[in-house]
């Protein structure tokens, strides 16, 4: 299933995009797409049954390309855990050594915005960068997992994330990476939460990003140093993952930081578009904060 949330910020309603690309209203079945839904197999069953029986009313708005705003596909996110330098080609372009263990950092849930919402370039920023990423949404508690099979069983679904980053704040201002990762609007998510049954192998997904129409990133999740199952298993030994937690699993080569000088960092008015096979497409216009 492709689950999404449609409406103005703070008043989104749950919806389903069916096989005919028709937007269906889920508000009569579930109050929202959130941790409670992800942990409730019976609720998922009711959605599937209603969809199969044709009992879900259509919404007048279009899909993510239509008139209505599409919000983040998940509300009440508990935590956003990110993996840095998790693609071989991205490590090469930045001159970094291949990590022996996953590099872990956090983004605050309030950085999450809709897939087509405006992204704000922070005041004083000269090095705002883009990163197309495969986001993993947790659907059941994960604690001290022993195998990759157990890890994938904890995944409710997948979405697109843009791990927007301010490189000077991240690298040149001392301390940890968080200062360059947690600026407002720095985590567009969606348009859909695609349930795990529709992504049988998360290591076969093409990932692309364009800036002002120029292709900048063109990679595949097959190039991940630590695949999705290992990332989930590994993290479960350092923190408990709960339904509604999101993991961003790294970006392929092609970020601005890895380009020759002058590096093409984002400026007001730039348009960023990104897609992952089967997970939809995002589009953001940059604006000064």
């Amino acid at each position: 299933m492709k689950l999404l949330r449609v409406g103005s910020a703070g008043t989104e309603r749950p919806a389903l995009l069916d096989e005919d690309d028709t937007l269906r209203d889920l508000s009569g079945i579930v109050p929202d797409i959130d941790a409670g839904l992800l942990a409730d197999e019976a609720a998922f069953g009711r959605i599937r049954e209603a969809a199969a029986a044709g009992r879900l009313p259509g919404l007048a708005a279009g899909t993510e390309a239509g008139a209505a705003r599409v919000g983040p596909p998940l509300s009440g996110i508990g935590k956003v855990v990110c993996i840095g330098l998790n693609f071989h080609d991205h490590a090469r372009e930045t001159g970094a050594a291949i990590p022996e263990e996953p590099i872990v950092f956090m983004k605050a849930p309030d950085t999450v915005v809709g897939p087509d919402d405006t992204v704000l370039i922070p005041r004083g920023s000269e090095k705002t960068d883009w990163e197309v990423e495969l986001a993993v949404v947790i659907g059941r508690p994960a604690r001290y997992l022993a195998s990759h099979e157990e890890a994938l069983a904890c995944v409710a679904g997948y979405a697109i994330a843009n791990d927007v980053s301010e490189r000077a704040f991240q690298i040149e201002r001392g301390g940890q990476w968080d200062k360059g990762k947690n600026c407002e609007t720095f985590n567009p998510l969606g348009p859909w939460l695609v349930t795990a049954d529709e992504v049988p192998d998360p290591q076969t997904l093409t990932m692309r990003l364009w800036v002002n129409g120029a292709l900048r990133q063109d990679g595949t999740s097959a190039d991940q140093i630590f695949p999705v199952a290992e990332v989930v298993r590994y993290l479960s030994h350092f923190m408990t993952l709960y339904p509604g937690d999101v993991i961003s699993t790294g970006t392929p080569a092609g970020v601005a930081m890895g380009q020759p000088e002058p590096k093409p960092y984002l400026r007001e008015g730039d348009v960023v578009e990104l897609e992952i096979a089967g997970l939809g497409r995002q589009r953001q216009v940059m604006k000064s904060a």
Side-chain angles (χ1 to χ4, degrees), residues 209-276:
L209 181 145
W210 296 259
V211 179
N212 299 327
L215 182 63
R216 292 294 190 179
Q217 291 185 275
D218 187 4
T220 169
S221 58
D223 193 47
Q224 287 187 332
I225 298 166
F226 304 102
V228 166
E230 173 58 13
V231 165
V232 176
R233 185 208 66 80
Y234 179 88
L235 289 175
S236 77
H237 289 257
F238 296 92
M239 64 188 77
T240 302
L241 300 171
Y242 294 100
D245 287 349
V246 176
I247 305 168
S248 284
T249 60
T251 197
V255 299
M257 183 174 63
Q259 304 299 310
E261 298 288 353
K263 300 181 187 298
Y265 289 113
L266 295 169
R267 298 290 183 260
E268 183 169 34
D270 285 345
V271 177
V272 177
E273 298 171 277
L274 50 154
E275 67 179 18
I276 297 179

